[in-house]
Amino acid sequence: MKRFARHALPLVAMLAVIAACTDQALIKKRMISFPVSELEWIELPDSGGIKYANVRGDLAGESPYEALVLFPAGKSNPYHYHSRDISTVVMQGTFYAVVDGERTEYPAGSFYFLPGRLDHFSGCAEGQDCLLFQYQDEGFDLVPQKVKAKAD
């Protein structure tokens, strides 16, 4: 038994070191890094100046994505919904959403989760461009809706 332990322990230690090195290599291989100087900004067609920079996936594709989105100050979206849930972190400026007539403002540092198919207005308040980080587990869309008239 001593002989086994004498040979097995160094072998186990060596395998642990190899495994740790391999895990670190795999982790480093999967690391994604985008210093601000390396972001590639793309303007959304017919958006009035809204731009995005993909960091994983493609906001304009059909798959999961993570992207930075830049809204010009004072830019508002039409009444719309997104087909799928969308998560957003506001990094700069004050973004807002209007749901059922109630406006909620999200200053820098705020997070909000918007369920798919929820009709709303949204946009960037006046004064400073809005920088957002957005994630969806499927592609982005914006489906314009007609504003419902209030019953008198």
Side-chain angles (χ1 to χ4, degrees):
M1 184 69 164
K2 282 185 178 182
R3 183 174 171 182
F4 174 76
R6 186 174 59 201
H7 294 292
L9 290 176
L11 181 59
V12 169
M14 183 176 72
L15 290 174
V17 169
I18 290 170
C21 291
T22 302
D23 287 347
Q24 285 300 312
L26 289 174
I27 290 169
K28 193 169 187 176
K29 197 176 212 180
R30 290 183 277 173
M31 184 176 158
I32 297 171
S33 175
F34 279 97
V36 69
S37 62
E38 295 178 15
L39 293 172
E40 182 181 327
W41 291 96
I42 302 164
E43 186 167 340
L44 282 169
D46 303 318
S47 68
I50 299 170
K51 297 177 184 177
Y52 67 95
N54 293 313
V55 293
R56 263 202 318 189
D58 183 358
L59 180 139
E62 296 297 319
S63 300
Y65 74 87
E66 294 174 52
L68 296 170
V69 180
L70 185 62
F71 266 73
K75 171 67 181 145
S76 296
N77 282 321
Y79 194 57
H80 69 282
Y81 70 76
H82 306 282
S83 297
R84 294 165 290 279
D85 301 344
I86 187 168
S87 296
T88 301
V89 176
V90 180
M91 300 171 63
Q92 171 187 297
T94 300
F95 204 71
Y96 69 86
V98 179
V99 177
D100 293 332
E102 185 177 329
R103 179 179 171 130
T104 303
E105 294 195 346
Y106 302 97
S110 299
F111 167 84
Y112 69 93
F113 171 85
L114 195 63
R117 301 197 174 275
L118 179 65
D119 293 337
H120 65 283
F121 291 99
S122 63
C124 182
E126 293 286 342
Q128 184 179 24
D129 291 347
C130 291
L131 179 62
L132 313 173
F133 177 80
Q134 291 187 324
Y135 164 80
Q136 284 185 287
D137 58 7
E138 294 185 45
F140 176 84
D141 67 355
L142 185 144
V143 182
Q145 298 296 295
K146 290 184 179 180
V147 178
K148 296 176 187 173
K150 292 183 180 180
D152 292 329

